[in-house]
Amino acid sequence: MATVSIVSTLATRLLRPAQSCRLRHRPFHLSVVRNEAVVISGRKLAQQIKQEVRQEVEEWVALGNKRPHLSVVLVGENPASHSYVLNKTRAAAEVGDATVTISHRYTPKEQLKKHTVLADIVISAAGIPNLITADMIKEGAAVIDVGINRVQDPITAKPKLVGDVDFEGVRKKAGYITPVPGGVGPMTVAMLMKNTIIAAKKVLRLEEREALKPKERGVATN
């Protein structure tokens, strides 16, 4: 559900209002002809969302409410998880009519290609490096890469993070593309901050309703 929410936000802010989906089979047009895809910066969008959340939180606190609090439960000693939680901590401190086709990591590649070449938005979260290549993408399509994979850099021999998409190849054919890292990842942290203030407001409204019940019963009795 979190991924769907993040992708929906990306599509709404960068493409056009639409239902969140995996693949959308509707003609996608670019306003100008491009040689390479427009790289969607998750970092820039995340900064914009965090600024909105920061203002909302300050207004919330100014009304006399408690500052929202986020608790993170971390299981195990996975370095990637620790890094992710650190990013959350830093962020907290700062702060239709589409056809949907869903495939998975075990879908034969040729069958997968039959779907992706028709789609104007392709969202991949399979956890397979280079799963989506340029020949699988329609000219001008938007490609949202949610995959995150740790591989060895062939040049430096050091580990690095990559997505499911052959970024350098696909960017020459797609209209929009998200990088890994720096694409969907920062958006998850920013949306977590936004959802924290939303949750805080909902809790307050619930408490206010509960506090009114005894008064309403007293009025009814009288």
Side-chain angles (χ1 to χ4, degrees):
M1 290 303 293
T3 298
V4 172
S5 176
I6 294 160
V7 168
S8 177
T9 299
L10 277 169
T12 299
R13 288 173 181 260
L14 292 169
L15 305 177
R16 56 183 171 224
Q19 295 176 345
S20 56
C21 58
R22 298 291 177 185
L23 305 177
R24 299 178 56 240
H25 297 174
R26 195 169 68 180
F28 185 88
H29 301 288
L30 291 176
S31 58
V32 294
V33 177
R34 303 180 188 278
N35 294 325
E36 291 189 350
V38 175
V39 179
I40 301 172
S41 174
R43 290 190 175 96
K44 289 182 180 179
L45 277 176
Q47 281 302 116
Q48 180 183 340
I49 291 173
K50 285 190 286 188
Q51 177 60 36
E52 294 170 2
V53 172
R54 184 184 302 115
Q55 181 177 346
E56 199 169 352
V57 168
E58 293 310 315
E59 291 173 355
W60 169 258
V61 173
L63 291 173
N65 300 301
K66 290 184 179 179
R67 190 170 293 275
H69 181 79
L70 172 67
S71 297
V72 178
V73 179
L74 183 62
V75 179
E77 296 297 327
N78 189 307
S81 296
H82 280 273
S83 175
Y84 194 51
V85 169
L86 178 61
N87 288 336
K88 290 182 175 68
T89 304
R90 289 172 177 167
E94 292 179 27
V95 162
D97 307 319
T99 300
V100 179
T101 304
I102 300 178
S103 302
H104 52 73
R105 64 186 300 161
Y106 300 111
T107 301
K109 193 155 186 175
E110 284 307 309
Q111 183 179 340
L112 176 62
K113 181 179 177 179
K114 290 179 182 178
H115 296 305
T116 57
V117 294
L118 297 175
D120 67 349
I121 297 182
V122 176
I123 300 162
S124 181
I128 301 178
N130 294 319
L131 173 66
I132 306 298
T133 50
D135 64 310
M136 301 172 68
I137 298 298
K138 180 173 69 174
E139 193 79 35
V143 182
I144 309 296
D145 193 350
V146 189
I148 182 166
N149 311 285
R150 192 177 294 275
V151 300
Q152 188 177 50
D153 190 304
I155 299 176
T156 65
K158 295 181 179 179
K160 68 173 184 178
L161 294 180
V162 298
D164 292 348
V165 177
D166 174 16
F167 183 81
E168 293 303 327
V170 172
R171 74 183 300 183
K172 294 178 174 63
K173 190 174 183 181
Y176 296 86
I177 189 170
T178 59
V180 176
V184 172
M187 289 292 295
T188 64
V189 179
M191 292 305 295
L192 178 62
M193 300 300 105
K194 189 173 184 66
N195 288 335
T196 299
I197 182 64
I198 291 173
K201 289 183 175 182
K202 287 184 177 180
V203 169
L204 179 65
R205 285 195 291 268
L206 180 62
E207 291 174 348
E208 288 175 342
R209 285 198 296 269
E210 291 297 320
L212 284 174
K213 286 181 179 179
K215 297 179 182 179
E216 292 173 351
R217 284 197 295 267
V219 170
T221 302
N222 294 333

